[in-house]
Amino acid sequence: MFLLYEYDLFWAFLIISSVIPIFAFLISGVLAPISKGPEKLSSYESGIEPMGDAWLQFRICYYMFALVFVVFDVETVFLYPWAMSFDVLGVSVFIEALIFVLILIIGSIYAWRKGALEWS
């Protein structure tokens, strides 16, 4: 039978965890000093006056390197639980993990050939 009173603790936790951040934002909005002067509106870079335009164009190799890093970082996240329960899962999961690693190896070879890993 579905009893609602079993979820009282859940609803209390949900309400309290929602109300606390709302109150924090409201209190900071009321108590925060509001002064919009030239010092407040200028950009801050380590205490040094900024020189030049803030809009700089970055080379694409930074983004490509970051994407390749994220792909292999996610690979480790997926492979770790598989490695921890390898003896329980069986051969079919081993073959699936092997296919997964094979796809990632093919992707890394493709990225290497396209020059995504070159820093020059």
Side-chain angles (χ1 to χ4, degrees), residues 81-100:
W82 169 80
M84 289 288 101
S85 58
F86 174 70
D87 55 345
V88 178
L89 296 175
V91 177
S92 64
V93 176
F94 174 72
I95 293 172
E96 289 175 9
L98 203 58
I99 292 170
F100 178 69

Side-chain angles (χ1 to χ4, degrees), residues 21-58:
I22 292 170
F23 276 143
F25 278 117
L26 290 175
I27 290 172
S28 70
V30 170
L31 297 179
I34 301 172
S35 62
K36 301 223 178 192
E39 287 291 320
K40 182 80 170 181
L41 296 175
S42 71
S43 59
Y44 179 76
E45 288 187 29
S46 304
I48 301 171
E49 281 294 320
M51 297 177 355
D53 193 14
W55 292 98
L56 298 175
Q57 190 172 12
F58 289 100

Side-chain angles (χ1 to χ4, degrees), residues 2-36:
F2 184 70
L3 301 173
L4 285 177
Y5 66 85
E6 292 179 356
Y7 292 98
D8 287 345
L9 195 61
F10 168 74
W11 290 114
F13 178 75
L14 185 68
I15 291 170
I16 290 172
S17 64
S18 300
V19 167
I20 288 176
I22 292 170
F23 276 143
F25 278 117
L26 290 175
I27 290 172
S28 70
V30 170
L31 297 179
I34 301 172
S35 62
K36 301 223 178 192

